[in-house]
Amino acid sequence: MLSIGLIFPTLSLITCIGLALFVLSRNSKHIINRSFSFGMLALAIIEFGNLMVSVSSSVSSVLFWKRLALVGESLAAPNWLLFSLTFSRSNYPQLLTKWKWVILGVYLASFTFLAFIWSNGFVWVPPEEPPVEFLFLGRVGYYFYIFFLLTSLGILVNLESTLRASTAVNRWKIKYTAVGVGAIFAFFIYLSSQYLLFSILNLGFLPAISGVIFISTVLIAFSLVRHRLLDVDVFVSRQVVYRSLAISIVGVYLLTLGLAGQLMRYIGGRENVSLPVLFTFITTLMLVIILLSENVRRKVKLYISQNFYKNKYDYREKWSEFTEGLSSKISLKELLPAVIDLLAKTIWVNYITLWLYDEDKDEFYLAKGMNISETSIKIKGNNSLIRYFKDTGALISTQDLDLDKEPRLSAIYEENKDFFKETKAVVCLPLISGQTLVGLMTLSKELTTGAYTYADYELLKTIANQVASNILIAKLSQESIATKQMETFHRLSSFVIHDIKNYIYMLSLVLQNATDQRMRDPEFQQDVLKMMSDLVSKMRDLTNKLSATPDKLKLEFKEENLNQLVEDVISKFQLSSYKKVMVVKDLGVIPQIKVDSEQIQNVLMNLLLNAAGAIEEKGEIRVRTSCEDGWITVAVSDNGRGMSREFIENSLFKPFRTTKKNGLGIGLYQCKTIVEAHGGKIEVESEEGKGSTFKVKLPT
């Protein structure tokens, strides 16, 4: 029968190698996957060395295999430190840049210690008969464990920071990985302190080391597999109750831990140091997991609320939290993430979505979500779900929905089944401010009890009213800002026009002075050419900085060959383009069309210039014309950097919204105005890193 000294190292070795290969196979190029996998392989080296120590029969072989295990410890320190800095952190590139010299120093120190591991200056054993129970630390080994202890402490601090900064749902996802890795290095801190205190490596700790690593790696594996990735009216502060309960749990558990430790020491005897240490580790780890369990904490709060309070929630507290959390958010970009974060802290769910109304398209689009970032679903303004919300203002809950008894709700659910399925919505409620439906909000299954209660619905209605008001205020604020920007723009236009008038006046003076006799004077000719060149340059600068934003266009419609207009624009573009851009033409057979040729050419030139600005040196622009479904379409495509979905939905075609460094954000707004004045429409398809396609559709 295998002894405990062989079972744990064998299991730990297999688990570490398996986890390393599994994570590395998912994405071998990502720094988080690499640091995790190399860290796991370092633990595997530790376990292999400890396993061979357990089966060794000679002093020399014990020393050799223990030194191999120390190689694993030396390699584990820098790799797990790198993992702790990058794990579950969206800003890890900035952190790596900030701490690059510290990381390089840790790696350098680690490899330096590797050079001494095989010497007696690191660890040694006097000649004696086996079995060997202790190895003695040399001076280098003493310094190594100081280094190892400090690095382990850094790993714990980083993991704690990650857990503290994470939201409730994210903490639920990552906590077992963080606890597993943290438990290993918390135990290593304990071992390092023992080694430094007595200057010896006690081989009696080997089974405990293997047990700790195995249990911790099982926790990590569990995390990776799961996430593949009496009404009494007593008014007592909830926080006092929660904190008192936590202190009581810790006190009772530590008392039990002490009694159990004494019992294990009595059973195991003084010789066996592994059993008490291992039991202490297991019980401490269980306590940490219990205290970190968001589900346990929420169930405790729920139990207290149900048995000591009339209401499940302290509505004044929640109202205060939302009011304070949203008060400083004056733009939708700031407001929507704050709403999601506050909802996640209040209602224990995995998925939340916020939908806003687009007046131009008469549809609701996904503006922000938690764990749902994109969807192709759009909810039109005449959808039965929208009509229901406008008529009733009531929320819809699928958990309470009786399709047989509620035919209207049944029809609504059937029409919007894909919407409920893709958003994983159990509750869908309107965001109404006054009489205006500004958006929708969905939440998935409630995780604490598995079902929503009346108190949940009441709180959600209150939250929805608050959110709707804030969204409406943010939209009005943005419109006000745009109006002020437009006023500023028109004021700027007046200054520009004044400058242009001056240039015209100067040109008129030249014409007045340009008599036949003076025009024959070479010196006068040179002066005229120089001045005209300067004026043209100045006027070009002005027109580049200022584009007109016509609200009401006076168009001159004429029968035109649109393909010929496209050819002319491409020719001018290629002559004036500041880049050598390849333009590929695919002009289909299309009928003559009545348009204002000058304005349509302005639109096409603007789209070509935007495409050229979006592509790199080897970029390509494609221009295609076609006629289908009663529309003549001119499509301008590029393989440039593309645009984000958020920018397209919230900023594109709106004045003063641009991604260009020196742009005014007027060009596409002007294009849209011109195309719509022709009775047409302009559409866009784009994806970041894959380019964009703008389609100008004109009626036949």
Side-chain angles (χ1 to χ4, degrees):
M1 182 179 292
L2 290 175
S3 67
I4 192 172
L6 299 179
I7 293 175
F8 279 138
T10 304
L11 293 175
S12 296
L13 177 61
I14 295 171
T15 308
C16 290
I17 294 175
L19 285 175
L21 296 178
F22 172 77
V23 171
L24 199 61
S25 67
R26 295 298 168 184
N27 187 351
S28 61
K29 296 182 179 180
H30 202 294
I31 190 170
I32 299 177
N33 294 52
R34 285 185 175 183
S35 58
F36 177 89
S37 299
F38 294 156
M40 276 295 168
L41 291 176
L43 294 179
I45 294 173
I46 295 173
E47 289 306 283
F48 180 70
N50 289 342
L51 176 62
M52 297 307 295
V53 168
S54 300
V55 298
S56 296
S57 58
S58 65
V59 175
S60 59
S61 61
V62 168
L63 186 59
F64 175 83
W65 292 116
K66 186 56 186 175
R67 283 172 171 170
L68 180 64
L70 291 172
V71 170
E73 291 184 17
S74 183
L75 293 174
N79 285 299
W80 284 113
L81 180 63
L82 181 59
F83 174 79
S84 70
L85 276 170
T86 55
F87 172 59
S88 194
R89 296 191 181 189
S90 59
N91 65 331
Y92 74 85
Q94 292 89 338
L95 287 174
L96 293 181
T97 301
K98 181 180 179 181
W99 295 98
K100 62 181 179 181
W101 297 114
V102 175
I103 297 170
L104 288 174
V106 173
Y107 270 98
L108 181 61
S110 177
F111 288 121
T112 302
F113 284 120
L114 281 176
F116 292 93
I117 281 179
W118 303 98
S119 69
N120 287 337
F122 201 100
V123 65
W124 59 282
V125 60
E128 60 182 39
E129 295 295 325
V132 179
E133 296 182 359
F134 305 100
L135 299 180
F136 293 89
L137 275 182
R139 184 175 295 276
V140 178
Y142 189 85
Y143 292 145
F144 168 75
Y145 275 107
I146 293 176
F147 160 77
F148 192 62
L149 188 148
L150 293 175
T151 306
S152 300
L153 181 59
I155 293 169
L156 288 181
V157 169
N158 286 330
L159 292 173
E160 181 191 4
S161 299
T162 301
L163 281 174
R164 282 181 176 274
S166 60
T167 59
V169 174
N170 288 335
R171 188 181 304 120
W172 174 64
K173 292 180 178 179
I174 69 174
K175 69 179 179 183
Y176 287 111
T177 299
V179 169
V181 176
I184 293 173
F185 285 91
F187 187 71
F188 280 161
I189 289 175
Y190 168 76
L191 287 180
S192 298
S193 64
Q194 294 294 309
Y195 296 161
L196 291 171
L197 182 62
F198 299 106
S199 295
I200 59 171
L201 303 185
N202 189 341
L203 300 183
F205 284 129
L206 295 188
I209 296 173
S210 298
V212 167
I213 294 178
F214 173 66
I215 294 169
S216 300
T217 50
V218 168
L219 278 178
I220 297 170
F222 170 74
S223 181
L224 292 177
V225 169
R226 188 170 69 166
H227 299 295
R228 316 241 213 220
L229 14 82
L230 30 150
D231 296 332
V232 180
D233 192 6
V234 179
F235 187 80
V236 182
S237 168
R238 282 174 163 82
Q239 296 302 319
V240 171
V241 177
Y242 301 152
R243 290 169 184 168
S244 300
L245 185 63
I247 294 170
S248 301
I249 291 174
V250 172
V252 171
Y253 203 77
L254 289 177
L255 179 60
T256 306
L257 178 63
L259 295 175
Q262 291 295 328
L263 180 62
M264 290 298 298
R265 189 174 291 109
Y266 174 78
I267 295 174
R270 294 183 178 180
E271 307 84 22
N272 193 336
V273 297
S274 290
L275 287 178
V277 171
L278 185 57
F279 181 80
T280 300
F281 167 78
I282 293 172
T283 50
T284 304
L285 184 60
M286 289 175 61
L287 174 61
V288 171
I289 292 173
I290 290 173
L291 293 179
L292 281 177
S293 173
E294 196 69 29
N295 198 28
V296 170
R297 290 164 61 187
R298 290 184 65 87
K299 285 186 176 181
V300 169
K301 289 182 179 182
L302 179 61
Y303 176 82
I304 293 171
S305 296
Q306 290 176 335
N307 290 280
F308 292 93
Y309 299 93
K310 281 186 174 181
N311 301 312
K312 179 178 178 180
Y313 299 100
D314 185 341
Y315 292 99
R316 291 177 301 174
E317 178 190 345
K318 297 304 177 185
W319 179 265
S320 176
E321 284 180 7
F322 264 84
T323 303
E324 184 178 349
L326 304 181
S327 60
S328 61
K329 309 300 186 291
I330 60 174
S331 69
L332 290 177
K333 188 175 181 180
E334 297 174 316
L335 177 65
L336 299 183
V339 172
I340 294 288
D341 185 54
L342 288 168
L343 272 172
K345 291 178 180 178
T346 305
I347 309 294
W348 186 233
V349 296
N350 269 339
Y351 304 94
I352 301 172
T353 63
L354 291 173
W355 300 69
L356 297 184
Y357 179 59
D358 186 333
E359 294 181 4
D360 295 335
K361 298 179 180 179
D362 188 28
E363 65 183 19
F364 291 79
Y365 65 92
L366 178 61
K368 195 68 179 177
M370 184 179 77
N371 297 325
I372 298 176
S373 57
E374 290 188 2
T375 178
S376 59
I377 294 177
K378 297 286 191 299
I379 306 174
K380 293 296 181 180
N382 60 353
N383 187 288
S384 59
L385 179 66
I386 305 304
R387 294 199 304 271
Y388 176 81
F389 284 147
K390 288 181 177 179
D391 292 343
T392 67
L395 61 81
I396 294 177
S397 173
T398 59
Q399 77 173 24
D400 301 323
L401 190 59
D402 191 335
L403 299 180
D404 296 329
K405 296 182 179 180
E406 300 173 281
R408 183 180 182 184
L409 292 179
S410 176
I412 292 172
Y413 180 77
E414 288 299 321
E415 181 182 345
N416 298 278
K417 186 176 291 184
D418 291 339
F419 165 74
F420 282 94
K421 182 178 179 181
E422 195 160 332
T423 60
K424 307 182 189 308
V426 172
V427 174
C428 180
L429 62 161
L431 303 177
I432 300 176
S433 179
Q435 301 297 319
T436 305
L437 180 63
V438 300
L440 313 174
M441 181 168 67
T442 71
L443 297 95
S444 61
K445 179 182 177 181
E446 209 275 343
L447 297 176
T448 304
T449 60
Y452 288 90
T453 64
Y454 176 78
D456 293 321
Y457 294 146
E458 289 299 304
L459 179 64
L460 285 173
K461 290 176 184 177
T462 304
I463 290 174
N465 291 334
Q466 175 77 8
V467 172
S469 298
N470 283 84
I471 289 175
L472 191 59
I473 291 171
K475 282 189 169 184
L476 292 173
S477 176
Q478 288 183 347
E479 291 175 3
S480 175
I481 292 172
T483 301
K484 289 180 180 179
Q485 287 176 325
M486 190 64 74
E487 291 174 357
T488 303
F489 175 73
H490 288 307
R491 194 178 300 116
L492 175 62
S493 300
S494 64
F495 289 111
V496 174
I497 292 171
H498 179 268
D499 290 339
I500 292 175
K501 286 181 178 180
N502 288 339
Y503 300 153
I504 294 172
Y505 177 70
M506 293 169 68
L507 288 172
S508 66
L509 289 177
V510 171
L511 290 174
Q512 291 175 13
N513 294 326
T515 62
D516 291 340
Q517 185 176 359
R518 297 197 65 182
M519 283 300 296
R520 296 190 187 98
D521 183 358
E523 186 177 348
F524 179 75
Q525 292 175 0
Q526 293 294 325
D527 290 341
V528 169
L529 289 174
K530 183 177 183 302
M531 188 187 72
M532 292 185 69
S533 177
D534 291 342
L535 288 177
V536 169
S537 178
K538 291 177 180 179
M539 293 176 73
R540 184 183 292 114
D541 289 340
L542 282 176
T543 55
N544 287 338
K545 293 177 181 177
L546 186 69
S547 298
T549 58
D551 291 324
K552 295 181 180 179
L553 291 173
K554 294 182 179 179
L555 303 176
E556 296 182 7
F557 290 93
K558 291 182 181 180
E559 198 85 6
E560 298 284 355
N561 184 335
L562 192 59
N563 279 343
Q564 187 60 51
L565 292 180
V566 171
E567 293 272 14
D568 294 342
V569 172
I570 292 175
S571 298
K572 293 177 184 177
F573 167 75
Q574 290 178 322
L575 285 173
S576 61
S577 177
Y578 64 96
K579 290 183 177 181
K580 296 297 182 183
V581 179
M582 179 183 292
V583 180
V584 179
K585 294 179 287 187
D586 179 14
L587 306 183
V589 178
I590 57 176
Q592 295 276 94
I593 184 174
K594 284 189 175 183
V595 294
D596 185 316
S597 59
E598 182 179 353
Q599 296 290 3
I600 292 298
Q601 285 182 319
N602 287 340
V603 171
L604 297 177
M605 180 62 79
N606 203 313
L607 295 180
L608 287 171
L609 290 172
N610 283 349
I615 62 180
E616 304 298 333
E617 293 181 359
K618 297 182 180 180
E620 179 181 276
I621 299 174
R622 289 184 173 271
V623 181
R624 183 176 64 87
T625 61
S626 62
C627 181
E628 54 188 20
D629 299 327
W631 296 97
I632 293 178
T633 303
V634 182
V636 179
S637 304
D638 66 76
N639 58 355
R641 56 180 173 268
M643 296 171 287
S644 68
R645 192 181 191 91
E646 181 183 3
F647 180 82
I648 293 172
E649 293 180 341
N650 298 331
S651 300
L652 197 66
F653 301 121
K654 293 181 172 62
F656 310 110
R657 311 285 180 87
T658 181
T659 58
K660 297 179 182 178
K661 185 177 181 181
N662 297 316
L664 290 174
I666 294 296
L668 285 175
Y669 172 70
Q670 182 179 0
C671 289
K672 183 172 182 288
T673 304
I674 293 171
V675 172
E676 289 179 347
H678 281 77
K681 57 185 178 181
I682 184 167
E683 299 174 348
V684 63
E685 298 171 2
S686 184
E687 186 175 349
E688 287 185 289
K690 295 185 179 181
S692 304
T693 297
F694 284 82
K695 294 181 180 179
V696 175
K697 292 188 173 184
L698 300 171
T700 56

